[in-house]
Amino acid sequence: MATANSINKKRKPSPTGCFKVAIVVALVIAAGSCFYAAIQPPMPRPCGSEGGPAVTAPRIRLRDGRFLAYSVTGVPKERARYKIIFCHGFTGSRLDGLRTSPELVEELGVYMVGYDRAGYGESDPNPRRSLRSEALDIAELADKLELGPRFYLLGFSLGCHAVWASIKYIPGRLAGAALLAPVINYRWPGFPKNLSQAAYNKQQLGDQWALRVSYYAPWLLHWWMKQSWLPTSTVIKGTTDLPNRLDAWIRDQSKSNGNLEKRMKLATQQGIQESFYQDMKVMFGKWEFDPMELLQPSFQVHVWQGDEDGLVPVALQRYIRSRLSWIEYHELAATGHYLAAVPGLGDTVLKTLLVDPSSP
């Protein structure tokens, strides 16, 4: 006589049960596929391509086939004594630069090149963009424009990651470097945990989450930034708390007169995912090196930082200076992030970098 156990062993799976399992598996796969499709950024729209923005700036072609757009100011290259490349910041472009007096530029013989970093303005996107690629783009730009074996490098705000990368990867090409209000990565290993965490926690919630996603889940960043119900970057939205009055006034004026919208449109015309979000992934992602471990280069490196900067914690900048004693650090009292607005600072930077390294 068959036992209950033997009957259960012989019992075949219910067709209804198998069908339910199949339905669940199919739904999970479908949901996963939909989510995967949703988080994929759109295809870029390179300048000069079908349906893409027009090419209006001079461009060089890099070894990998990408184009890099640039703009030049100053004296003619043939008369130049000093050749400088300027790395623009977040929301910037090749049209940005150091605000200097024409008389000083003429006197010193300065030839300055601004360029659209990869994915910005009219420079082609780089899907493999990294710190190293930023430095190599600069070196190749200098070669194509025949700036000579050595040139000076200036960076502003988030664009300073290209300067750090150049100090690391192409030090032999630099005659000097200056970083203006350089953005930092809170997760650089050289920072004491309590110091960087305290500064990180002072950020607005949306900025904390934007940096967190950039570091831990860069593949999710484009989707995250599109969700109005999630905390996202106040820098992109233009709502960051700015303690410095001049900074706040400049931003409000730029928003009201349309300049901010115009700048952002130019910067992101090939796709915001190719400019702003790529910047965030490189700047706030996992770095290939720690700037605080860099060896002293053969040229001078200057940092200018405002003590009322609402975007870059001055406490972290001071700590970097304490670790890198070879940096010439210039802290500006009652000054915010937008250093271009500081009267006479552009001339001071030029003279300090090019002529009198001992000047304040």
Side-chain angles (χ1 to χ4, degrees), residues 188-219:
W188 283 339
F191 284 131
K193 185 69 174 177
N194 61 333
L195 182 65
S196 59
Q197 191 64 49
Y200 184 85
N201 290 340
K202 289 180 181 179
Q203 294 185 104
Q204 291 169 256
L205 183 63
D207 297 307
Q208 292 185 34
W209 272 103
L211 269 58
R212 191 174 288 126
V213 174
S214 298
Y215 186 83
Y216 291 107
W219 47 269

Side-chain angles (χ1 to χ4, degrees), residues 91 236 259-269 276:
T91 78
I236 292 179
N259 282 342
L260 179 61
E261 181 181 1
K262 183 179 179 181
R263 284 173 57 84
M264 294 184 73
K265 183 177 180 181
L266 173 60
T268 63
Q269 64 180 347
F276 291 2

